[in-house]
Structure formats: structure tokens, C-alpha cells
């Protein structure tokens, strides 16, 4: 597919939908994914302006998308989000992760500074991003040809030759630093069989909300039905962090099992806005995977790769 030329008019049109609070959140997300997939400074500007929105879910998704674009023109806005301690922790987390994804050494000092942030998920994300930036200054990026999932991951998978048992142990080792646990997490995702899916589900017993939210995210990428019971349990657990429940909802949307629809519909009334809005997105994604005619997600997929799914946030 030829790359679409982004005009000011097109960027403005997408921005209008993105910022229109009268529109369903799922439609606004579709506009966001289109901006992400198109890329370039006009799209970055439109996305930056939409960071004024009241929805923390939308703002965190914008930060995620800015990271996935790996365009260092988004560096300043992402740094401001990390520094803004009045911003929602999930948004700051995503901005820090995005800085790790862009891997520009100019963000290194900020990431180091906020590695001691009092909000645990922000601190852990900054530690992770520091390790990622450091890793990619010393190692070549993986070839895109070898990747099944086109997301820019917060940590590289472990090299081949590590046994399944060793990967699982590394993933579940709560004494290990977050970067090395994430490396094992992405190895399990890349193995991708039922045994790996169930090992990933074991991660939901962990103390780190950050690790658990990433587990839910990769389970969404894997779209494996063996994860349905664990994801459902996490989504239903009101004592769980909203960030984790949000990813569980969207992962259920990506698995797109019709039997999950009543649960997602019910939780569009959840008292936590991040969760209720995520269920709306999840229903939209479920609908997309069951009827693939819709323009925005389909367009995004073709622009990224036939192998990719809509890649809702992590
Ligand atoms: Fe997310
Ligand atoms: Fe995240």
C-alpha cells in the first residue's frame, strides 16, 4: 500500500474527531491510530494538542502512540508528561515507556531522575526505559523480519538457546530487576504456545502492577483463548490496579471471543473510568475482529503489516 500523504487538512480532520468529546471513545481511538500510522510532524502536533483531553485513558494512549512512532520530534512533549507529577500515573508511565521506545539519549537524565519517583509504576517504567536506552546504545536493534509482533517493546526478548524453564523462572523471579523480567516476558510471548500463555498468566500473582499490565498487553497480542479465564478474573477484580484491569479488558477485546461480550458490556458501567472506557474500546476491537470491513483499523493494519493486530496500548 502506498503511503498516504498527510496534508494539514487531513491532520486537522483526524484531530477534530480525536478531540470531539461527543464521539464514542472507540471512534476517537480509531482517529488516534490513524494519526499514529500516518506519522510525521503534523500528526504529532495533532496528537500533542489532544493531550488536553479529560480522559486519562485517551492521554495515555496518545503517549503510547507517540512512543510507537519512534520519532524524536515527540521527545519534548513526552519529557514534560513524565515531569508533570500532577498528571495521571498511567499517562506518566506511558510517556516514560515512550521515551524508552524512542531511545534518544537526550531523555536519559530525566529517566534516571524519575527512576526514583514516588509512584511505583512510574519509577519502574523509568528504570526499564533507562535499561532499554542503555541496551540499544550497546546492541543492534532486532531485524524487523524476525519479529512476529511489530510493537516497539520495552525490552528485547532473550536470545535463543535459553530453556523454557529458565525463561519462566526468570520471568517469575520477583528479586530480579524489571528489565530482565520483561526480557523473559517477551520471550514467553514470542514462544507463544499454550504453555507460555499459562506461564504468563502466572505473572498475575506478582506484586508489580507494571509487570501485570504488560502481561495482559502481550496476552492481547497473542490472542490465545487459554488466557481467557485469567484475563476475566483480573478484569473483575476491583482491588486490582486500574492500569492492569484496563489492559485485561483490551486483551479480551483482542481475543474477540463472543462469549466475553456480555461481561465487557456490563463493565462499560464500571465506576473506574479507565476500565469502563477500556471495555468500550474492547467491544469495538471485538467487533473489528469479527467483521473486518471497517476502515480505520484495517487501514492501520495494512500500513503496519499484515501480521500486526491493532496494537492497542500497553
Ligand atoms: Fe494501556
Ligand atoms: Fe503501559
Amino acid at each position: 500500500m502506498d503511503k498516504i500523504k498527510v496534508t494539514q487538512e487531513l491532520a486537522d480532520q483526524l484531530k477534530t474527531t480525536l478531540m470531539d468529546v461527543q464521539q464514542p471513545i472507540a471512534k476517537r481511538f480509531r482517529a488516534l491510530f490513524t494519526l499514529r500510522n500516518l506519522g510525521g510532524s503534523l500528526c504529532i502536533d495533532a496528537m500533542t494538542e489532544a493531550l488536553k483531553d479529560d480522559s486519562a485513558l485517551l492521554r495515555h494512549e496518545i503517549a503510547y502512540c507517540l512512543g510507537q512512532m519512534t520519532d524524536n520530534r515527540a521527545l519534548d512533549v513526552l519529557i514534560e508528561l513524565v515531569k508533570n507529577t500532577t498528571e495521571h500515573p498511567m499517562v506518566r508511565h506511558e510517556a516514560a515507556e515512550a521515551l524508552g521506545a524512542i531511545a534518544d539519549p537526550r531523555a536519559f537524565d530525566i529517566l534516571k531522575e524519575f527512576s526514583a519517583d514516588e509512584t511505583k509504576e512510574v519509577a519502574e517504567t523509568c528504570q526499564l526505559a533507562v535499561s532499554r536506552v542503555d541496551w540499544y546504545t550497546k546492541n543492534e536493534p532486532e531485524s524487523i523480519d524476525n519479529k512476529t509482533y511489530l510493537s516497539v517493546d520495552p525490552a528485547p526478548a532473550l536470545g535463543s538457546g535459553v530453556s523454557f524453564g529458565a525463561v519462566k523462572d526468570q520471568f517469575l523471579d520477583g528479586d530480579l530487576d524489571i528489565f530482565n523480567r520483561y526480557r523473559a516476558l517477551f520471550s514467553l510471548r514470542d514462544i507463544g504456545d499454550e504453555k507460555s500463555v499459562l506461564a504468563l498468566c502466572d505473572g498475575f500473582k506478582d506484586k508489580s502492577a507494571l509487570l501485570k499490565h504488560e502481561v495482559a498487553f502481550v496476552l492481547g497480542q497473542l490472542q490465545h483463548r487459554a488466557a481467557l479465564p485469567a484475563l476475566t478474573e483480573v478484569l473483575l477484580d476491583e482491588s486490582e490496579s486500574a492500569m492492569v484491569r484496563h489492559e485485561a479488558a483490551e486483551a479480551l477485546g483482542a481475543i474477540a471471543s463472543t462469549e466475553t461480550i456480555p461481561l465487557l458490556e456490563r463493565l462499560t458501567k464500571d465506576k473506574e473510568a479507565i476500565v469502563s472506557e477500556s471495555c468500550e474500546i474492547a467491544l469495538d476491537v471485538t467487533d473489528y475482529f469479527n467483521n473486518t470491513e471497517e476502515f480505520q483499523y484495517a487501514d492501520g493494519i495494512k500500513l503496519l503489516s499484515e501480521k500486526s493486530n491493532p496494537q492497542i496500548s500497553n
Side-chain angles (χ1 to χ4, degrees):
M1 185 185 212
D2 292 334
K3 189 94 177 146
I4 297 167
K5 180 168 164 41
V6 184
T7 59
Q8 186 68 56
E9 192 188 357
L10 176 58
D12 286 346
Q13 204 182 328
L14 290 162
K15 184 175 75 178
T16 302
T17 307
L18 176 60
M19 296 184 73
D20 185 352
V21 293
Q22 303 303 325
Q23 296 290 339
I25 189 80
K27 187 168 180 195
R28 300 173 70 195
F29 265 56
R30 288 175 180 227
L32 173 59
F33 298 144
T34 305
L35 285 163
R36 174 199 63 186
N37 292 333
L38 292 170
S41 59
L42 293 174
C43 294
I44 290 173
D45 291 347
M47 292 158 75
T48 301
E49 208 172 320
L51 284 167
K52 294 177 195 143
D53 196 81
D54 284 343
S55 164
L57 187 74
L58 185 78
R59 296 198 305 279
H60 109 292
E61 196 71 33
I62 293 171
Y64 171 73
C65 288
L66 288 170
Q68 292 295 302
M69 290 157 87
T70 59
D71 186 329
N72 59 19
R73 285 173 286 190
L75 217 56
D76 290 346
V77 65
L78 291 167
I79 286 173
E80 285 313 308
L81 285 174
V82 173
K83 283 162 71 177
N84 181 2
T85 52
T86 64
E87 177 54 281
H88 193 291
M90 193 166 87
V91 182
R92 295 179 67 217
H93 139 73
E94 215 60 70
E97 193 179 290
L99 289 171
I102 296 170
D104 189 313
R106 282 176 290 173
F108 202 77
D109 289 347
I110 288 294
L111 290 168
K112 268 248 178 257
E113 181 184 340
F114 286 91
S115 289
D117 194 86
E118 56 187 46
T119 307
K120 192 176 173 220
E121 55 267 39
V122 174
E124 282 186 324
T125 309
C126 289
Q127 293 157 23
L128 187 60
V130 163
S131 300
R132 187 181 193 278
V133 176
D134 193 44
W135 173 269
Y136 285 108
T137 53
K138 294 174 187 148
N139 296 276
E140 287 296 314
E142 309 87 347
S143 159
I144 199 150
D145 299 336
N146 299 330
K147 292 192 76 175
T148 307
Y149 301 97
L150 294 179
S151 50
V152 182
D153 299 325
L158 300 164
S160 55
V162 187
S163 72
F164 175 81
V167 174
K168 184 178 170 183
D169 287 348
Q170 180 165 330
F171 166 60
L172 293 172
D173 184 351
D175 293 329
L176 212 59
D177 65 281
I178 194 78
F179 183 71
N180 279 300
R181 297 188 75 190
Y182 262 54
R183 292 199 66 193
L185 184 159
F186 286 106
S187 291
L188 290 171
R189 178 202 61 186
D190 290 351
I191 300 166
D193 59 6
E194 185 166 339
K195 208 162 69 159
S196 308
V197 168
L198 296 174
L200 284 163
C201 291
D202 285 346
F204 285 132
K205 299 185 196 103
D206 204 77
K207 287 201 294 280
S208 165
L210 189 74
L211 184 98
K212 288 188 279 189
H213 105 296
E214 198 69 28
V215 167
F217 174 75
V218 300
L219 291 173
Q221 288 187 307
L222 284 163
Q223 297 177 298
H224 199 300
R225 289 181 57 84
L228 283 173
L231 287 167
T232 303
E233 195 180 327
V234 168
L235 175 58
L236 283 167
D237 181 0
E238 290 184 11
S239 67
E240 183 52 273
S241 150
M243 184 164 99
V244 183
R245 294 179 70 211
H246 138 70
E247 289 301 347
E250 292 191 355
L252 288 168
I255 297 171
S257 165
T258 49
E259 75 224 44
T260 315
I261 292 174
L263 170 70
L264 292 171
E265 282 176 342
R266 181 156 61 84
L267 293 184
T268 58
K269 304 276 184 294
D270 195 273
K271 56 182 185 292
E272 175 59 69
I274 287 169
V275 175
S276 62
E277 289 177 341
S278 299
C279 289
E280 284 185 49
I281 306 291
L283 286 164
D284 191 54
V285 174
T286 298
D287 187 52
Y288 163 75
F289 278 120
N290 288 305
N291 309 281
T292 50
E293 299 301 313
E294 296 277 358
F295 163 71
Q296 303 285 16
Y297 285 154
D299 186 44
I301 282 172
K302 282 185 190 144
L303 284 165
L304 284 168
S305 154
E306 295 301 330
K307 285 190 282 190
S308 162
N309 71 28
Q311 301 292 7
I312 303 280
S313 79
N314 77 337

